Amino acid sequence: MVRAMEQYLRSGIPSTPFCPGCGHGILLGLVLRSIHALGIDMREMLFVSGIGCAAWIPSPHFNADTLHTTHGRAIAFATGAKLYNPKLRVMVISGDGDLSSIGGNHLIHAARRDIDLKVICANNMIYGMTGGQVAPTTPQGFTTSTTPLGNPERPFDLCKLVEAAGGRYVARYSVTQPLALMESIKKSLSFKGFSFIEVLSPCVTQFGSKNLLESAPKIMEWAMEKCIPREEAEGLSREELEEKIITGEWGDVEDSTD
Amino acid sequence: MAWKRIKASLPPGRYYLSGNEAVAEGAIAAGCRFYGGYPITPSSETMERMAHRLGQIGGIFVQMEDELSSIAAVIGASWAGAKAMTATSGPGLSLMMENIGYATFTETPCIIVDIQRAGPATGQATRVGSGDIMQAKWGSHGDYQIIAVSPWSVQEMYDGTIRAFNFAERYRVPTFVLGDEAVGHLRETLEIKPWVRVFDRKKSRGRPPFDSKNPRQIPPMPTFGEGETLLVTGSTHDGHGIRRTDDPKVHSRLVRRLNDKILLNQQHIVDTEEFFIEDSVLTVLCYGFTARSALTAVKELREEGHRVGFMRLKTLWPFPHERVAQLSQGVEKIFVPEMNRGPGGRGGHEIQPV
Amino acid sequence: MSKTVQIRFGGFGGQGIVLAGLLLGRAATFEGKFVAGSNSYGVAARGAACRSEVVISEDPIDFPQVTIPDIVVVMSQRAYDLFSRQVAKGGLIFYDSQFIVPRRRRGMVEVPATEMALRNVEEKRVANVILLAAVVAQTGIVSQGALLRAIDESVKGKFLELNRKAAALGFHWKEEIHER
């Protein structure tokens, strides 16, 4: 299986920069497997990313056109490229801080415009690359290097945000749900219109180490326990739900696949 | 050859247009097919005319959510193959700065039309100023070069925009049309000639898009979707775009080359215009709309018998150091009238002869 | 007519001051002249005092804005008060007598433009074109044909016919005055 994916990787790039236990490697593999499964020619793809760990998923690793941009602006760069050459299949892969904090305005406007972009937000709930500062996705109460007494603020529900802004295919999965996530990426790749997938991708080094989840198994177990599918969530009380992250699909994917 | 002669986009003849409208016509004539922008006084007429004209000819127009995304979309479109532009004014230009630096580092051809107004801050939105001269050159971080043309008439808003696109495509560099409110809103006779000379970026399959042996030579620019598996990044990179963020030699080579490709080609870029220089003991050095007032004043002074010369910078960046130094040899003083307080901040400055 | 003529229009926003300048500029361009024009901009042109200026010359124009106008055309008392003091020697001031009580007599040319507009076409918004046409008829800064062509190329929809009528009224405004 690893060999089968090699054709999608740029030659001469020795290894990924991701820490042991990082979820981004899983996501990297799932994106390529989805492209492979659909038989998409990488020459049709353009990958655009911003700044942060997740922005390194496509650049330099993917053997396709890649545009590694400034912090927060990936979607805006992608908008220009896609509008001028609609034949390009444009996928944006970046992090939660990049897409929803500094780039939050571009995210909601691209959803409103319904530009045919496939946006994958690798959410590790923290600023990993810069040393573990609080993000707009950090759950309330969790410790970061800029919230030493616990995060006093509420996090964004990114799927609700994008759906409200007009995103037509919106989904959330965890890297601990690889099969469902891969199906979702495939849907996004076949979807015509703005699609958004929030991928929970735990960060051991920055998020885990500050919140008693200091090993890869511990943080993955935490993610598995915390993420429950929509169907399961229906039977739970409000208090029980507060501790959970609901995964699944939103929007109206049915009306617009290839 | 990457130069070609194409028909102008309007029937040849004389038109009565505003400077901002002439910019749009110049852009269309030069082959611009992508506009991304955000409205701002006093530049918006360019945007409105581009929305109309690009709609007529099948180009792409998008009104973005802000100036940060406007220039980002322009850079994205440029890599997708478009001749692309935006237009703005001081506050918007401030917002674009990070991505203008990105465009210089990734060698992305793009046009930024800046219709200057009185600043700082919101300042006087409908009044003229020249407060972005330094911002245009130095506004983003790091060592880089840009090119700027400085039109003084509606005719030059048209011709200068075509020229700016040619510079951008030829040298793979963000190029500014540094106009101002006065020339942007001025209506004037515009002569449209039947033919336009335009330069299209060079392509060369497989050759590294981010390096050249001779720093005077500009690397070819492939486009997304051509199967070249392009790697474009704002981090320090080698000739193939591979990130090399820990090798000082790679950084030094790249930054030097990006500066040299403009500075060593100065003789093909810099353009000045001089009147009454031969016998002058005092010369007025100026640019942009101010030069219109200055020329009138110089002519009046000469009629009164004063030996005053006139030199105008048709391109502002790179700065024509050599020519200005030569000029200073023969005169007692050079006066520099500008609609800003000068680098000293005290209102105008005098260049003492060297 | 000297080689360069400077014209200044003044009134309040909504009277078509900017359009009058544009029409004159276009008309002069059609005649092969060098033309430069500028006007009040944005909020300044909407409701408040409004001005528009045109410089017409046989030669390329160095400084493109009006310094001392040869012709002043005013449609409000305020514009008259502001601009009537600054006119070239031997210059003319055309004014809409509906809105202006002049304080000087030399060089004054009365055109009851708004009154004519209301009486003849029941649309006071074309008073600007009546006034401009009167200026053209009196001074010959551009030909009547050039002004009509400028109107054809600048005005759209139902206002085109109205503006043509207004121009015809303005060209013959003296007869109108005599009839009264």
Side-chain angles (χ1 to χ4, degrees), chain B residues 14 45 185 187 189 292 299, chain C residues 32 35-37 41 61-63:
Chain B
R14 302 180 106 203
E45 295 84 4
H185 285 154
R187 282 177 201 281
T189 316
R292 297 286 286 268
K299 282 183 176 173
Chain C
V35 188
Y41 177 70
I61 297 164
D62 288 343
F63 186 65

Side-chain angles (χ1 to χ4, degrees), chain A residues 10-13 17 43-46 51 55-56 58-71 73 75-85 88 102 105-107 109-110 112-113 115, chain B residues 33-34 59-66 68-83 98-99 102 106 223-235 240-243 245:
Chain A
R10 197 180 286 275
S11 60
I13 307 296
R43 284 175 297 188
E44 292 171 27
M45 296 290 307
L46 167 64
I51 295 292
W56 292 43
S59 166
H61 306 104
F62 288 0
N63 194 29
D65 287 334
T66 54
L67 181 62
H68 199 147
T69 71
T70 46
H71 196 19
R73 318 296 163 214
I75 288 177
F77 280 80
T79 298
K82 177 70 190 179
L83 284 175
Y84 188 70
N85 183 358
L88 294 169
I102 185 168
N105 201 28
H106 313 310
L107 177 65
H109 282 277
R112 171 183 65 79
R113 286 191 189 101
I115 300 268
Chain B
R33 293 298 178 268
F34 185 94
I60 302 293
F61 174 90
V62 59
Q63 181 167 325
M64 294 299 289
E65 51 271 19
D66 53 32
L68 299 94
S69 52
S70 298
I71 183 70
V74 163
I75 296 168
S78 185
W79 277 100
K83 287 191 184 181
E98 186 189 11
N99 283 337
Y102 180 91
T106 53
T223 293
F224 291 147
E226 293 176 339
E228 294 231 32
T229 57
L230 267 168
L231 188 53
V232 184
T233 174
S235 293
H240 295 279
I242 306 276
R243 193 163 37 224
T245 51

Side-chain angles (χ1 to χ4, degrees), chain A residues 18-72:
Chain A
F18 305 128
C19 307
C22 174
H24 291 359
I26 303 172
L27 174 57
L28 185 156
L30 290 173
V31 170
L32 295 183
R33 282 178 168 80
S34 304
I35 287 169
H36 181 70
L38 294 173
I40 293 171
D41 187 342
M42 281 292 258
R43 284 175 297 188
E44 292 171 27
M45 296 290 307
L46 167 64
F47 295 93
V48 187
S49 58
I51 295 292
C53 297
W56 292 43
I57 291 175
S59 166
H61 306 104
F62 288 0
N63 194 29
D65 287 334
T66 54
L67 181 62
H68 199 147
T69 71
T70 46
H71 196 19

